[in-house]
């Protein structure tokens, strides 16, 4: 199974029975997470991220479709691969009346991990001092760290973090970010589902964006953002209205942003300045606009919710779709 | 599997509710001990004098009026037999000479008290072990810890089987300890009061078997609790289902269709613990004169019937719980 992607799903579908009939949570999801590195799994609330993760982990049954983890079909072959997977699904869930250490000892006992491993992961997540306290007395951040500690008990090759920074303070967020980056650099695969896109952008090598239960875009973050940076420029010019008319006539798409113009499709910014100068309009500022993950995400998911196709920028984005 | 079983058993004994439940069991044993203490007290001189006096008085009454009372009884019986030839007022038995042992309190022996208290404690011990099982499994769903657990061991049948076996082991140990403590307390009190009485080997053997049957019934109650906990996913719901069944279904069926008693828990439980239990089925008809009358036919459920019924019900419940746990989503 070496060389197999960490996660691969095809035509994954899940519906829930509700009072209003059957609700589609995941609709034909094709997901490809390469082995090694950090993969961001993004989507608005209710887009099917957690449902997809639960299906991968065998917690809920898929209606149809196929899933593999490191080439093993799941859920049927999940027992063969579960030792290589550590996961936090939604919020951390442990026995509230037991201490953090007891909770971890029970889990370690279930997988035959030595007791010393519990101490190691408690140290690694800076929980050793509070290990004897009841889990119920933990802050949200400590609960989150205990969940991370639990995933590390197995020393897994694939870590699935569903909203891992929920409830963490800035230091905790940085810690989790560093942990994810470190794990990715060590050759582990980290699938991180988060709505804090700036966090994901900082650590993810690849991302998948889903909306309404299916894949909207997927690919390498750097390639996507890099290619976008050369096509949009922000122009400061006298008489912006006249400039907009002129540029539109020349075939560029423009929009006003205060006293500035945003010009899309400007693969050669010099051509913009030349066109304006020939018309006697002089540019006093020209800045390439580098899109961030958030703007791409919003562009894709907003259009998905409205039922319209995404803008040209988003549709050109990424490799797989 | 063994690893899971060890972890589940450890978890059960780490739970506060397990210890609270055992503490509740100790309280019940303490209260039973107070009642035992009162029963086991030897007869005082004043009580002895009073019962002697009562006996002498009753003997005098019988000598003076017994013959006449027997005649009256036989006369009333003859009158009754004119309409019902089978009428039997048991006149001879009702009018025999009073016996000394009928008067005054005789402190029961240790074996008598122990048999009664053990039989009476069966329901309490069973409920406590049911609570241990139901809460241990249901709490995993209410806290969501079962989801975390399944990311470590996704083989669901193994997971629930280990929980059920752990509940069975814990339930057996807990109920055995409680019943042993109950019997031990009873013996200590009887011994202190000096009213232990005879300890024939067959009596001790019967008591030993009774404690084993109560322990077995309580262990099954624990398994029922764990299965209902897995099915309802909430301790309160599991208790409500059990109590609702006992009150509504059993009560209703017994009143509506007494002939269905062999398929109810209560008579089978009594048969298992007590050796046998009886139930009556009315046979009603209207005679030629238009009188509607019923006669009751008594049926007996034997210990083997109770064992068979309990085994089948618990096995079915476990199978349903395993099937449901395997199929249902864990959210």
């Amino acid at each position: 199974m070496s060389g197999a992607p960490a996660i691969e799903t095809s035509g994954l579908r899940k519906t829930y029975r509700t009072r209003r009939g059957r609700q589609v949570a995941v609709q034909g999801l094709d997901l490809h997470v390469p082995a090694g590195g950090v993969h961001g799994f993004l989507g608005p609330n209710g887009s099917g991220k957690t449902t997809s993760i639960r299906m991968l982990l065998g917690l809920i049954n898929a209606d149809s479709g196929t899933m593999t983890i490191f080439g093993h079909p799941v859920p049927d072959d999940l027992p063969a691969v579960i030792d290589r997977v550590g996961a936090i699904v939604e919020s951390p869930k442990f026995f509230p009346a037991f201490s953090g250490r007891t909770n971890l000892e029970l889990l370690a006992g279930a997988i035959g991990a030595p007791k010393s491993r519990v101490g190691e992961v408690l140290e690694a997540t800076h929980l050793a001092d509070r290990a004897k306290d009841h889990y119920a007395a933990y802050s949200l951040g400590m609960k989150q760290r205990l969940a991370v500690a639990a995933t590390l008990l197995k020393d897994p090759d694939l870590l699935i973090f569903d909203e891992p920074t929920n409830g963490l303070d800035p230091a905790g967020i940085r810690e989790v970010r560093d942990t994810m980056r470190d794990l990715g650099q060590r050759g582990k695969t980290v699938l991180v589902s988060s709505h804090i896109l700036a966090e994901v952008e900082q650590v993810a090598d690849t991302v998948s964006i889903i909306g309404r239960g299916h894949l909207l875009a997927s690919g390498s973050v750097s390639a996507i953002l890099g290619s976008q940076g050369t096509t949009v420029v922000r122009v400061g010019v006298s008489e912006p209205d006249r400039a907009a008319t002129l540029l539109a006539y020349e075939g560029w798409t423009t929009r006003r942003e205060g006293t500035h113009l945003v010009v899309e499709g400007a693969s050669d910014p010099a051509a913009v300045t030349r066109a304006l100068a020939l018309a006697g309009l002089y540019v006093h500022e020209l800045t390439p606009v580098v899109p961030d993950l958030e703007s791409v995400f919003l562009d894709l998911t907003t259009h998905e919710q409205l039922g319209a196709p995404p803008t040209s920028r988003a549709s050109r984005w990424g490799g797989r779709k | 599997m063994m690893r899971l079983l060890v972890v589940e058993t450890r978890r059960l004994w780490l739970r506060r509710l397990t210890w609270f439940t055992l503490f509740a069991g100790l309280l019940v044993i303490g209260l039973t001990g107070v009642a035992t203490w009162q029963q086991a007290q030897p007869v005082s001189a004043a009580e002895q004098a009073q019962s002697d006096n009562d006996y002498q008085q009753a003997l005098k009454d019988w000598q003076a009026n017994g013959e006449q009372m027997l005649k009256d009884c036989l006369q009333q019986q003859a009158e009754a037999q004119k309409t019902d030839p089978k009428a039997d007022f048991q006149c001879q038995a009702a009018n025999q000479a009073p016996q000394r042992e009928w008067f005054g309190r005789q402190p029961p022996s240790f074996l008598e008290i122990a048999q009664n208290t053990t039989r009476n404690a069966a329901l309490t011990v069973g409920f406590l072990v049911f609570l241990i099982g139901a809460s241990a499994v249901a709490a995993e769903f209410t806290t969501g810890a079962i989801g975390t657990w399944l990311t470590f061991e996704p083989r669901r049948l193994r997971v629930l089987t280990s929980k059920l076996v752990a509940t069975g082991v814990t339930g057996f140990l807990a109920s055995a300890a409680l019943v042993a403590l109950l019997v031990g307390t009873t013996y200590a009190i009887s011994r202190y009061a000096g009213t232990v009485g005879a300890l024939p080997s067959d009596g001790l053997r019967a008591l030993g078997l009774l404690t084993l049957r109560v322990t077995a019934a309580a262990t099954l109650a624990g398994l029922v609790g764990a299965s209902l906990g897995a099915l309802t996913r909430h301790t309160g719901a599991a208790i409500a289902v059990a109590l609702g069944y006992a009150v509504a279904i059993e009560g209703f069926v017994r009143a509506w269709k007494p002939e269905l008693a062999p398929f109810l828990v209560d008579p089978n439980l009594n048969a298992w613990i007590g050796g046998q239990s009886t139930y009556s089925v009315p046979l009603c008809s209207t005679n030629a004169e238009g009188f509607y009358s019923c006669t009751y036919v008594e049926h007996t459920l034997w210990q083997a019937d109770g064992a068979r019924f309990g085994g089948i019900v618990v096995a079915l419940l476990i199978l349903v719980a395993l099937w449901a746990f395997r199929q249902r989503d864990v959210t």
Side-chain angles (χ1 to χ4, degrees), chain A residues 170-299:
Chain A
I173 290 173
R174 171 178 278 187
E175 227 169 78
V176 169
R177 191 174 63 209
D178 291 345
T179 303
M180 288 192 292
R181 188 181 285 141
D182 177 52
L183 289 165
Q185 284 169 354
R186 281 165 45 200
K188 311 278 187 187
T189 308
V190 180
L191 177 72
V192 54
S193 141
S194 176
H195 62 273
I196 305 177
L197 301 175
E199 288 296 326
V200 175
E201 191 174 336
Q202 286 185 59
V203 294
D205 304 302
T206 53
V207 291
S208 293
I209 298 182
I210 67 168
R212 290 189 174 189
H214 66 267
L215 189 69
L216 299 176
S218 182
S220 147
V221 176
S222 56
I224 291 155
L225 299 184
S227 65
Q228 291 298 304
T230 60
T231 61
V232 181
V233 289
R234 192 162 179 270
V235 182
V237 62
S238 57
E239 299 183 60
D241 288 335
R242 212 181 120 214
T245 309
L246 175 73
L247 292 174
Y249 180 77
E250 294 286 337
W252 280 292
T253 304
T254 63
R255 68 172 189 275
R256 280 289 293 271
E257 209 175 80
T259 58
H260 289 69
L261 280 180
V262 174
V263 183
E264 293 186 8
S267 53
D268 179 13
V272 175
T273 54
R274 193 166 46 244
L276 291 171
L278 286 172
L281 295 166
Y282 296 102
V283 173
H284 56 79
E285 183 188 333
L286 190 137
T287 316
V289 176
V290 179
D292 57 8
L293 204 48
E294 188 171 86
S295 59
V296 177
F297 172 83
L298 289 173
D299 189 25

Side-chain angles (χ1 to χ4, degrees), chain B residues 258-259 280-286 291-299:
Chain B
E259 62 270 27
S280 298
V281 178
L283 284 176
C284 301
S285 60
T286 307
F291 288 109
Y292 181 79
S293 64
C294 295
T295 54
Y296 286 85
V297 181
E298 197 171 78
H299 297 270

